[in-house]
Amino acid sequence: MNIAIFVSGGGTNCENLINYFADSESVHCALVVSNKPDAYALVRASRLGVPTAVAPKADLHNPDVMLPLLQKYDIGFIVLAGWLPLIPNFLIDAFPHKIINLHPALLPKYGGKGMWGHHVHEAVKAAGETETGMTVHWVTPVCDAGEIIAQYKVALSPSDTVDDIAEKEHQLEMKYFPKVVEDILKNAAE
């Protein structure tokens, strides 16, 4: 199964996935797509020998650009790992139940428009939550509303800063996200 990783930022999860599947006989990270030409994830992917592409908004929303790009690399599954724009409906239709997203909170809390990165962790801190976590869910036309596939939690203390919360949640991603992706792909192949 060739997968594409869509990413908007630094790409630590992207790099983690590429390394995790480097020796896999069933999963190949075939393409990394970013909506931002300066996303450090593109550098990480290139260093690891994975082809990259930039899809600014006009390209992302153009089926005549995106579908041939994904076909070129024989993509069968898309993983959103720190991807910010909404996925256009034509991609969801072209990849039914084959696009997943990683969200840095325990959905349905702290999801939806504007809830990404530090905004999520700031909201968790402001609410005085005693735990946070990561959610992997199916992508639908509604932001962060797809069926939840997996969640992992971590305890928070009142003294945790927003950066502490971000780091605790990120450690969950590093530990669990590649395995969750692997399990989803195994189930998809059966």
Side-chain angles (χ1 to χ4, degrees), residues 3-18 29 31-46 48 50-57 60 66 69-70 77-87 91 99-102 116 139 170 173-174 177:
I3 68 170
I5 303 169
F6 283 32
V7 60
S8 296
T12 53
N13 277 297
C14 175
E15 183 175 43
N16 196 24
L17 287 168
I18 293 168
C29 296
L31 179 66
V32 171
V33 176
S34 181
N35 61 311
K36 298 181 177 183
D38 60 347
Y40 193 68
L42 298 172
V43 174
R44 292 179 193 268
S46 293
L48 294 169
V50 177
T52 63
V54 176
K57 188 173 185 175
L60 175 65
M66 292 306 294
L69 172 66
L70 297 170
F77 203 90
I78 298 172
V79 177
L80 309 183
W83 175 260
L84 298 181
L86 277 176
I87 294 295
L91 273 180
I99 307 176
I100 60 169
N101 182 48
L102 170 64
W116 55 273
V139 172
H170 188 65
E173 295 175 355
M174 293 292 101
F177 191 43

Side-chain angles (χ1 to χ4, degrees), residues 52-153:
T52 63
V54 176
K57 188 173 185 175
D59 289 352
L60 175 65
H61 291 276
N62 185 342
D64 295 331
V65 173
M66 292 306 294
L67 295 176
L69 172 66
L70 297 170
Q71 288 163 355
K72 176 181 175 183
Y73 292 95
D74 194 27
I75 300 302
F77 203 90
I78 298 172
V79 177
L80 309 183
W83 175 260
L84 298 181
L86 277 176
I87 294 295
N89 287 346
F90 75 84
L91 273 180
I92 295 171
D93 293 341
F95 291 86
H97 226 60
K98 292 184 179 169
I99 307 176
I100 60 169
N101 182 48
L102 170 64
H103 186 77
L106 296 171
L107 292 175
K109 288 184 175 182
Y110 311 109
K113 188 171 173 59
M115 281 288 117
W116 55 273
H118 245 58
H119 302 291
V120 172
H121 306 307
E122 288 166 356
V124 167
K125 174 70 176 171
E129 296 285 356
T130 58
E131 64 182 8
T132 192
M134 60 171 269
T135 301
V136 179
H137 66 91
W138 294 107
V139 172
T140 67
V142 179
C143 182
D144 294 331
E147 178 188 352
I148 293 171
I149 301 165
Q151 288 187 316
Y152 294 91
K153 299 176 182 180

